[in-house]
Amino acid sequence: MILSGRGVTAVLGPTNTGKTHYAIERMVAHGSGIIGLPLRLLAREVYTRLVERVGVAHVALVTGEEKIAPPGARYSVCTVEAMPRETRAAFVAIDEVQLAGDLERGHIFTDRILHLRGRDETLLLGAATMRPILEQLLPGLTVVERPRLSQLFYAGQKKITRLPQRTAIVAFSADEVYAIAELIRRQRGGAAVVLGALSPRTRNAQVGLYQSGDVEYLVATDAIGMGLNLDVDHVAFAQDRKFDGYQFRNLNPAELAQVAGRAGRHLRDGTFGVTGQVDPFDPELVQQIESHRFDPVRVLQWRSKQFDFASIPALRRSLEAPPKIAGLARALPAIDQQALEHLARYPEINDLATSPERVEKLWEACALPDYRRITPAQHADLISSLFSDLVRSGTVNEDFLAEQVRRADRTDGEIDTLSARIAQIRTWTYVSNRPGWLADPTHWQEKTREIEDRLSDALHERLTNRFVDRRTSVLMKRLRENAMLEAEISVNGDVFVEGHHVGQLAGFRFTTVAGAEGPDARAVQAAAQKALALEFEARAARLHASGNGDLALSADGTVRWLGDPVARLAATDHIMRPRVILLADEQLTGNAREHVAARVERFVNYHISTVLKPLDDLSRAEDLQGLAKGLAFQLVENLGVLFRRDVTDDVKSLDQEARASIRRYGVRFGAYHIFMPALLKPAPAELITLLWALKNDGLDKPGYGDLIPALAAGRTSIVTDPGFERMFYKLAGFRFLGKRAVRIDILERLADLIRPLLQWKPGTTPRPDGAYDGRRFTTTTAMLSILGATPDDMEEILKGLGYRADAVKPEEAAAFLSGHAGESAAPATEAEPAAPVSDHDDADEPAAAETDAAPAAVVETPVSDEAPAVAGEAAPAASTEEPAEPKPVLLWRPGGRNDNQRGQQRGQGDRRPQQNRNRGGGEARQDGERRDSREGGRDGNREGRDNNRRGGDRPDNKFKPREGGRGDQGGRGERSDRQDRRDRNDRGSQPARFEAKPPRKEKPIDPDSPFAKLAALKEQMKK
């Protein structure tokens, strides 16, 4: 041990005193030299400076993970751990010697301070707190104190978002560093990140990002306190506690000063302070930092270098040896010693370490740094594998090494993933640089260096993308230069300021991109608005001159111009005249705004009057008078559809001339509705739904817009959704009938099919398909086809229309019909449905006018093969094991108010089970309207009476079928109609209801009858 300071000079002082620069100047003055630095990052910086001075061929770089050794190198730049214990160099310098007091690395610095000397000159560089202990250990030491070139002042506490530019924010955990950097990015444009866990290449790239001015803030750990030369004006402590490898503790004043001293450069003063949750510094602490006066270092960490390699226990005992001189303290077990303690418990290691050479090799392997920050036991397992290979094979197994390197050779993943891979590859970089550990070290040194560089670049990119907003950072840089910002707008509406995307112009509204906040936001807005003002005027002129094809009205009430929203509609008192509200920023003013508003209003009026032309014409009709004008007004208010039961009195009061005047506007008087067939198309229905929704706040109601696709697909009936607003069914042209909704015009066709079945009189004409006794009918294939419904759906639809069902057994129905076999006509098939009969009000209109909507043959649900078209024609059950009970045949008739009571008086005329009677009478009101169940009966009777009373609407007094009840049995002449009225008056004011006759007694079917032969033929065709 050298206990002399002869030829040794200690250059001591605070930060920013030029100590490292002085050491470089002294080294190049000698023919050879070695300088030891505390960080690989700092070693790289000094190496670059020396190369610039003397050339790359004369400088070597030696660290634990990297070795650049030109054959003629005269100067060596090393980390302190990589410095040799002996040297013949003329000059030796050791930087940051105060780290000799560090619990983790201190013993290494102490060893170099006490043992390593240059032939001509030795420099020890560090803090002034080292002077007493160095003078104690090295008698004859020359001490040179250098004053700080600039002053350091305390600036107090500030919020992170209020910190000045060129600030370094210090924290002591990766999570805290990342959180602060994210906040800085959102508020101030971005920050560079420096952590000890980053690779030197990544740290250099991040420091370069800060030094170039691309970002104004640096978030780092205390790694920046070790000699990094940064242009920092202010240092803010976001934390003042750290984990030193053994415990969490507060930083001492000297450590705080080492970091705070990074503020200020050369002759420029710097400041320091606190931020975040850190309490303001005590005045005493502030005074210590500003004056650079701290308690001196009293002891240095020391570990014996006299190793006994006779055995593992002997080596362990030598490491436990205490120092023999004052001022030194035995260091706590470092990573290498901890690994040895674990390995000493492995039987296989004890079996291999049987000679001093092998014990020495084991100790060499224990020096492997723990870059991965794993547990000591895991780190010891890796060392065990390496040592076993070295003893058994002489080198590390390259297959094992290749697999480990391959796993790390990936650049995908986020920051933490890449950091873990860099730590992994650094381990193998260290292994490849150990002399004698690999058979082909050069290959693996190049391989691991290439992978580490690639991972480091990827990590730098991820850090930059996450914590730097390039747009804001560049704009702030331009603002610092007091430059005028240039803005431009692309054809797609993207707004750029200084080439960076700052927002989007859609129509006449400008939206800034997310994160456009901070001190630059106002300047960016000003530059963007200057360009937007001219663009708004140009766009207003183009919109004013554009055609209707460039504008569109979307389903949400937004008017779009070339795809961009420019206005929205709002309700007014007149449902057909909505108000237009411009969607434009305040910059659209004056004539430009007026021109835009006028053009959009013209388009909206044109669009409504075109798509809803029949309704618009009806609203402007001037030739309608009296009740006809009132009915037209109601049609417009209800957007083209009225339930006939709601305007029964008005319709009855219209004379033939008034009806004709309304029909000229495309209005049809149906059995169930007064409606305009031309509106039962997707485009009018969509616009009608929108106008109603604007008037009734229905844009957000369930079902809005969901029924138009069904209308466009040509569906004649659809399954209802109980969650939908029921009004949307009517607006889309459908009648809500419980579980199913049917298109309005199809319901009128259904009425045309039902009407002749109820008008037929047994014994007069051939029985139509579906007719029963002139008062009741059965469902037919034609009905199911036009409705696109199953027999079960048909029940719901008929009940919703007010019809009631009498259930009879199939054999009873067959027996009844057999008695009318001679009256049967050829049954209607799906291919040849019964010819529709026009309604009783519009007999003079062609049948084609009733089918303006999509074809009625579209079937949503296939008709069941088991559903009989006529009572008595049910196919036999397919099962041969146990014949299923045949379903009753439903005979449908118009219902009435007292239908349930009358059903009980009919005796055998109604043999339905109790549940069928309840269902027929109790579920009639399916569309939520109380009078729906009566529209086929009472309203029809009333309408029939009215027409009979007037002698019909036609000049020739020819009666036509009525819409329901007895009034629908037209064609009997005026005398028959009057007789009906006298009969009704005799029975009281209650409207007449159809009642089933008692069925005939069952009798065997005559096998020679035409009906029996026809039934047998049908059965053969089914098979």
Side-chain angles (χ1 to χ4, degrees), residues 63-117:
T63 67
E65 307 162 49
E66 187 175 16
K67 186 176 182 179
I68 302 175
R74 296 182 291 121
Y75 306 102
S76 295
V77 181
C78 312
T79 55
V80 174
E81 285 83 353
M83 294 181 76
R85 294 191 64 188
E86 297 180 359
T87 182
R88 297 183 60 81
F91 175 84
V92 170
I94 304 172
D95 197 10
E96 305 294 353
V97 293
Q98 71 272 9
L99 288 178
D102 184 73
L103 296 178
E104 185 176 357
R105 303 172 63 199
H107 65 90
I108 300 173
F109 281 82
T110 300
D111 177 73
R112 304 301 185 265
I113 291 171
L114 298 180
H115 294 86
L116 194 59
R117 296 290 184 267

Side-chain angles (χ1 to χ4, degrees), residues 157-167 169 179-191 216-217 219 234 236 238 274-277 476 517-520:
Q157 187 179 39
K158 294 182 180 180
K159 293 182 178 180
I160 291 179
T161 54
R162 295 183 178 274
L163 291 173
Q165 296 178 355
R166 311 309 293 171
T167 291
I169 306 170
I180 294 173
E182 180 67 26
L183 177 61
I184 293 295
R185 184 194 68 81
R186 293 198 304 266
Q187 298 290 337
R188 312 302 292 270
E216 296 296 330
Y217 298 90
V219 186
H234 180 76
V274 296
T275 187
Q277 303 299 318
M476 292 181 68
E517 302 175 355
D520 66 310

